[in-house]
Amino acid sequence: MKVPSKRQSTQRHTLVTGMHLLGPSGPFVKILICYCGNRLGGVSSWSKVSVAGGGDEDTERTGYFRVYKTLTRDGRILRALIDDCTANHPDCKPREGLDLPSMLLHVSGASMSPTVRLVKASDIDVVPVRYVCLSYCWGNTQPNVTTTSRLDSYTAGIDTAEIPETILDAIRVAISMGYQYLWVDAFCIVQDSGPDKIAELGFLRQSYPEGREEQSIHTWHADIYDGTSQAAAAVLEIRSDFSYEDIFDSPIFERGWTFQEALLSPRLVMFFPHGQRPALRCSTHTIQSDGGLATAHPKPLVNLREVEQVVEREREKWGDYDDQSANAEEWVAIVKQYSQRSLTYEADKMPAVMGIVSEWETRFGQGTYWAGLWSATLTKDLIWKSRRDYSPRFAYESYVAPSWSWASRAHPVYYQDLGEINTFEGKSSFEVVSCEVIPAHEDLPNGAIKSAQLTVKCIAELVVLGGFESEYASCAVSSGSVRVQFDDSPRSRDIREAWLLYINDEEPYNNPHGIGIAVAEVDHTDADGPTLYKRVGCFVCEGRGLEGPRRTFTII
């Protein structure tokens, strides 16, 4: 074998996601392939090499090396695991009626030298259609994406030299696992066509370039060629530093778009950055390609079927278990995790959970979806709180969601234990008069929001907020006193008084007290319409809730 000159590169973290398999009866089986490494496929373990310092140096330099083997072996094993899961795991069955994308990449040939062309899904005469979807960090501007002018030439064939390495990795994985079709946004969406982007976002999601690139680990690569056929047989990787990390510890789990793709996928095929064997995660178990079982995976890698199983187990354990409360608990867990993720574009906040919302409506029935909250559990969903360890804290600079929604915030949020919050069933203390959410695109009702307003009727009291030094305010009210916790840090000096809207009661440690949100009048109230308010925080009463007449508030 011969080894050509070395080339320097950096560790990449990316994600291959959302493999959809169309079964004989029609439903899609969704699989997620997590790719957290520099190369995909089987790799040898890291070997340590020590080199004594030369000359007068009394030091010893340490390095590590390993060889990436071809993808064939792991691909066959992973495909066998997927087929076994599809055939024998009832908990991993998908929901029927999902749509196909408009275009796919047809991939064929050897994994190391593939042939790629763009095809219309409607022209594929193979039934069922099985294809892989790639979700990844674009990095800088992607070259050679599909445009109107390139569309015809790409249907004839795409030069692999024009395809970014991350996408080539996905092509190689798909071929090694025996799949012929791949969906990649950069190639399967006509990038200079607005209508095409909106249509494809309805199918899966819309990706945007992301500026962040992981560059913490530097490596050297050398392709190893077979001396007879001159084909690439393996890749040698040498690096000067190495640390053993948790196989699930990857920056990919910090990105906003990747969250729903894991949650919606019954199956994840995961590739890891430090030589561990690839693994399949489904609703039944997590198993590596060498047969080893991983006893657990982190919360960001669960799927909706696993969430359903949690509710089902609680129902079996407690005969009078309140499904609605259980559903609310799981939803706010989703909110807490998702709010910790980062997005390059704040306008993606609602579109990046649109797929979760559609599935949640079908599976859990929490009423109508209102900008990140649900009508059936609104008296709980409204009581979100800003994480105190983030400062400064503000809402997004541009409009993303109404102030009463957690999605309006550019920082993580959390909820108290919802089991301590009453449901107000049969009571008239809090009433939703109306709620109107206007989407930015009519075809995507659960996506980006143009405007929204919530009108409620409840007991309320006006209070003076006092000084601006603290993120809290203690205020006297007719029933005693309350403690207001503000969403923004530092507090806005323009807000000197607020209305406290009594929404619910909570009883931690059998100590009941009222809770609600604080709202302030906005300065652009329409003179011909109702007075408009925005949320500025939440509050807790020292004792029982507020007293007095009910008032009507329209919150934007």
Side-chain angles (χ1 to χ4, degrees), residues 210 212 251 254-257 338-345:
E210 304 193 39
R212 173 179 168 182
E254 299 174 2
R255 304 301 298 166
W257 276 108
Y338 178 61
S339 72
Q340 298 175 25
R341 301 289 185 107
S342 59
L343 291 159
T344 302
Y345 296 90

Side-chain angles (χ1 to χ4, degrees), residues 285-296:
H285 57 211
T286 299
I287 184 169
Q288 294 181 289
S289 63
D290 60 1
L293 285 174
T295 56

Side-chain angles (χ1 to χ4, degrees), residues 393-410:
R393 295 189 309 272
F394 295 102
Y396 285 110
E397 293 184 2
S398 59
Y399 186 86
V400 172
S403 66
W404 41 269
S405 170
W406 55 266
S408 65
R409 312 306 298 181

Side-chain angles (χ1 to χ4, degrees), residues 260-329:
Q260 76 167 354
E261 290 149 357
L263 194 69
L264 295 177
S265 300
R267 299 169 184 85
L268 282 73
V269 176
M270 298 172 286
F271 291 87
F272 304 109
H274 300 308
Q276 300 94 335
R277 304 302 301 181
L280 169 69
R281 188 282 286 149
C282 65
S283 299
T284 303
H285 57 211
T286 299
I287 184 169
Q288 294 181 289
S289 63
D290 60 1
L293 285 174
T295 56
H297 51 261
K299 191 71 171 177
L301 290 178
V302 301
N303 59 43
L304 284 182
R305 179 55 190 148
E306 291 177 271
V307 174
E308 285 184 311
Q309 290 172 342
V310 171
V311 176
E312 290 168 2
R313 285 194 295 268
E314 290 299 315
R315 186 188 300 118
E316 294 173 358
K317 183 178 179 181
W318 309 101
D320 58 347
Y321 192 69
D322 183 359
D323 281 2
Q324 206 64 275
S325 295
N327 296 342
E329 287 280 5

Side-chain angles (χ1 to χ4, degrees), residues 165-277:
E165 190 66 27
T166 298
I167 299 176
L168 277 177
D169 280 342
I171 292 171
R172 292 163 183 150
V173 169
I175 292 175
S176 73
M177 296 175 68
Y179 298 108
Q180 293 182 303
Y181 297 100
L182 173 69
W183 187 91
V184 180
D185 52 6
F187 287 97
C188 298
I189 298 177
V190 181
Q191 297 297 318
D192 57 354
S193 171
D196 194 57
K197 285 188 174 183
I198 294 300
E200 292 304 304
L201 180 55
F203 147 68
L204 180 62
R205 67 168 184 84
Q206 185 175 5
S207 288
Y208 297 94
E210 304 193 39
R212 173 179 168 182
E213 182 180 358
E214 299 299 325
Q215 298 182 348
S216 59
I217 302 174
H218 295 276
T219 62
W220 293 85
H221 294 142
D223 293 331
I224 301 176
Y225 293 85
D226 184 280
T228 302
S229 65
Q230 300 301 311
V235 176
L236 174 67
E237 174 175 331
I238 307 170
R239 58 186 284 177
S240 59
D241 63 339
F242 182 72
S243 60
Y244 291 94
E245 300 179 13
D246 188 311
I247 61 174
F248 297 115
D249 182 17
S250 171
I252 201 64
F253 299 131
E254 299 174 2
R255 304 301 298 166
W257 276 108
T258 63
F259 180 76
Q260 76 167 354
E261 290 149 357
L263 194 69
L264 295 177
S265 300
R267 299 169 184 85
L268 282 73
V269 176
M270 298 172 286
F271 291 87
F272 304 109
H274 300 308
Q276 300 94 335
R277 304 302 301 181

Side-chain angles (χ1 to χ4, degrees), residues 113-153:
S113 55
T115 299
V116 185
R117 64 185 178 91
L118 195 61
V119 298
K120 291 183 178 179
S122 58
D123 292 340
I124 300 174
D125 56 7
V126 177
V127 178
V129 178
R130 294 179 170 88
Y131 63 100
V132 182
C133 294
L134 170 67
S135 174
Y136 60 110
C137 298
W138 273 35
N140 296 324
T141 302
Q142 288 284 295
N144 307 315
V145 297
T146 297
T147 60
T148 304
S149 62
R150 293 181 180 137
L151 187 58
D152 290 338
S153 65

